[in-house]
Amino acid sequence: MTFIESIKRLGLADFPENGLSAEQNKLRLAVKSFLDCDEEKAEELARELLASTCEEIKDMAYELLFSILIWQDRFGGLKSLGFPRNDDDTEQIEMYDTRDTEFSLSNEISEAEMPEFPMIQPIMTVRINGEDVNLLVDTGAMFTVITQSVADICGIKSEEKSVSADAVTEGSVAAGAARINELRLGKSVIRNKKCLIMPDKALDFSAAGGPKINGMIGWEIIKRLRWEIDYKNRRIRLCAPHKSDANRNMCCDFYPMVRIVVNGEPITAALDTGGNKSYFGKIMVGRFPGAEKDKRQIAGAGQSEAFEYEGYVVPELPIFFNDKQVVLKDAFIHATREFSPSRTFILSGSIGSDIFSDHILTIDFENRHLSIVHAL
């Protein structure tokens, strides 16, 4: 395994600086700082590495800086660093740039019951251009999505440009870019907000045993608010975030990631509230004594049938979020599939909604904090 390949797996385990060059060690520390949610230190080190004569190291530094600036809404600073460097950069900057979007986020807590939904994932009634719409609260959707039928009801027209939206199962579906005039989430209001429009059939999971959904509140909105999702009592509370000194355990590299502890080892996993099941990638194979061979079906956007994957199952797996232990039942480990939803990293796996079924999940990305407590 090359040094860069090891760096991309640093979310699973650290490695010593012995045998590394000064620049390699600086990159190791930059990536480690990023995954440990110290973006200030990661940015400082990454900027220094832009002077590297090693193209691989320099490219990795650019990737870190791109993620940091995008998710801190520092779009003006991208040009000074030479972004966009390619067509992917251009598309992502255009998609996530919110300088022409108005955010009026309420400091007052909004609380509402979740509408009835045949799966465990959280769902919320929002108002789009004056119309009530039930949307999935999906941290695994990097952008807000609505179906074509919802767009028609709400008077939203697709722009000429279309993009390819990726699914968790590595499939993709064509989506039209559009704008929502007004989006209300409780007492908070967002105006002139970009979104994607997908064909209704792309969000119909009934053939794979799931529901039809109207769309998703994406991560680019979720990250701006403080959410309390009470899975047990099916309630959601949200408001504008306030500065906090809570323990930092979240980062984002074009996918939200959380630091957890499994078998006494800190690892980095994706956070996907839109997924009904948690699972691990092949990077975790061999780390769980007693795991038995098994298969699991998983479906994603744009796929009417579930894909079957071979792997291993651990009957009961304790996972720690900070100091709170949750036992994941029938934890699935993929035998052949690596999990890489971010731009850069190979992650240990994905944390879905099943692990929070009896808990209140708090997401406060402004303070890079995720926590859970047992619901009453």
Side-chain angles (χ1 to χ4, degrees):
M1 185 180 298
T2 67
F3 168 71
I4 293 298
E5 288 172 339
S6 297
I7 281 289
K8 290 183 176 182
R9 290 164 171 77
L10 197 59
L12 175 64
D14 198 359
F15 53 89
E17 60 183 289
N18 297 339
L20 300 182
S21 69
E23 284 191 342
Q24 285 178 328
N25 190 50
K26 184 175 288 188
L27 180 60
R28 180 185 73 87
L29 292 174
V31 170
K32 190 173 187 304
S33 296
F34 180 82
L35 294 174
D36 286 341
C37 314
D38 186 351
E39 292 175 10
E40 184 176 348
K41 184 64 175 178
E43 180 177 351
E44 176 187 340
L45 293 169
R47 284 181 179 273
E48 293 175 4
L49 288 168
L50 296 184
S52 174
T53 58
C54 175
E55 289 302 316
E56 284 188 319
I57 288 178
K58 186 191 296 186
D59 187 63
M60 191 75 166
Y62 270 118
E63 289 295 309
L64 281 180
L65 290 169
F66 191 57
S67 283
I68 290 170
L69 267 62
I70 285 283
W71 297 110
Q72 290 185 4
D73 298 319
R74 293 161 58 189
F75 301 101
L78 290 168
K79 187 174 182 180
S80 64
L81 288 175
F83 294 108
R85 297 182 299 148
N86 51 49
D87 290 343
D88 284 345
D89 288 354
T90 299
E91 183 175 283
Q92 288 180 327
I93 291 171
E94 289 177 353
M95 181 176 292
Y96 292 107
D97 191 342
T98 54
R99 284 176 290 186
D100 57 357
T101 301
E102 178 188 341
F103 294 90
S104 300
L105 306 182
S106 175
N107 291 322
E108 188 177 349
I109 296 174
S110 299
E111 182 170 359
E113 291 186 8
M114 296 187 207
E116 290 189 10
F117 192 56
M119 294 177 72
I120 191 174
Q121 295 96 315
I123 192 166
M124 181 179 182
T125 302
V126 304
R127 287 184 70 81
I128 298 178
N129 296 348
E131 301 287 343
D132 285 347
V133 180
N134 296 332
L135 298 181
L136 199 68
V137 181
D138 188 358
T139 59
M142 296 313 293
F143 209 69
T144 293
V145 174
I146 57 174
T147 59
Q148 183 62 59
S149 61
V150 167
D152 293 341
I153 292 170
C154 299
I156 300 171
K157 303 295 184 182
S158 291
E159 301 170 355
E160 289 185 7
K161 185 175 181 180
S162 64
V163 298
S164 178
D166 295 330
V168 69
T169 48
E170 301 175 3
S172 63
V173 61
R179 283 186 180 270
I180 297 171
N181 291 334
E182 183 180 89
L183 172 62
R184 291 183 174 268
L185 299 93
K187 298 179 176 67
S188 294
V189 184
I190 304 173
R191 296 183 175 87
N192 195 32
K193 177 70 185 72
K194 298 173 188 175
C195 71
L196 297 178
I197 300 176
M198 282 188 179
D200 285 45
K201 65 180 181 180
L203 297 180
D204 181 357
F205 303 95
S206 55
K212 299 178 182 179
I213 62 175
N214 297 316
M216 296 87 83
I217 303 170
W219 175 248
E220 93 290 6
I221 288 178
I222 295 172
K223 82 179 189 73
R224 296 177 180 275
L225 292 154
R226 184 183 188 279
W227 298 75
E228 288 186 9
I229 302 173
D230 186 339
Y231 280 83
K232 183 176 182 179
N233 299 300
R234 306 303 291 170
R235 300 189 70 82
I236 290 179
R237 293 175 285 276
L238 74 161
C239 64
H242 302 281
K243 188 173 178 58
S244 167
D245 60 357
N247 179 54
R248 291 184 162 225
N249 61 350
M250 293 193 74
C251 57
C252 182
D253 177 49
F254 288 87
Y255 209 95
M257 303 183 288
V258 59
R259 295 289 269 175
I260 59 178
V261 175
V262 180
N263 286 347
E265 182 177 27
I267 60 176
T268 302
L271 176 67
D272 183 13
T273 56
N276 66 333
K277 292 290 185 181
S278 303
Y279 54 88
F280 296 92
K282 75 172 186 178
I283 197 171
M284 300 295 286
V285 170
R287 292 175 175 267
F288 304 109
E292 298 181 355
K293 285 188 176 182
D294 206 334
K295 296 179 180 179
R296 179 159 295 178
Q297 292 187 334
I298 301 174
Q303 298 160 213
S304 59
E305 296 182 1
F307 282 76
E308 187 172 78
Y309 294 94
E310 294 186 353
Y312 303 86
V313 167
V314 180
E316 293 189 347
L317 180 63
I319 298 177
F320 284 87
F321 295 81
N322 294 320
D323 59 350
K324 178 64 177 180
Q325 176 182 296
V326 178
V327 177
L328 178 61
K329 303 288 188 179
D330 297 325
F332 186 75
I333 303 98
H334 283 272
T336 59
R337 183 185 172 205
E338 286 198 311
F339 193 68
S340 181
S342 78
R343 272 178 63 121
T344 305
F345 299 104
I346 305 297
L347 302 179
S348 61
S350 178
I351 299 300
S353 280
D354 57 335
I355 202 169
F356 306 121
S357 59
D358 291 325
H359 295 80
I360 299 172
L361 168 66
T362 298
I363 302 172
D364 183 0
F365 186 71
E366 181 70 20
N367 291 292
R368 304 301 190 264
H369 177 69
L370 178 146
S371 63
I372 59 173
V373 296
H374 198 84
L376 300 176

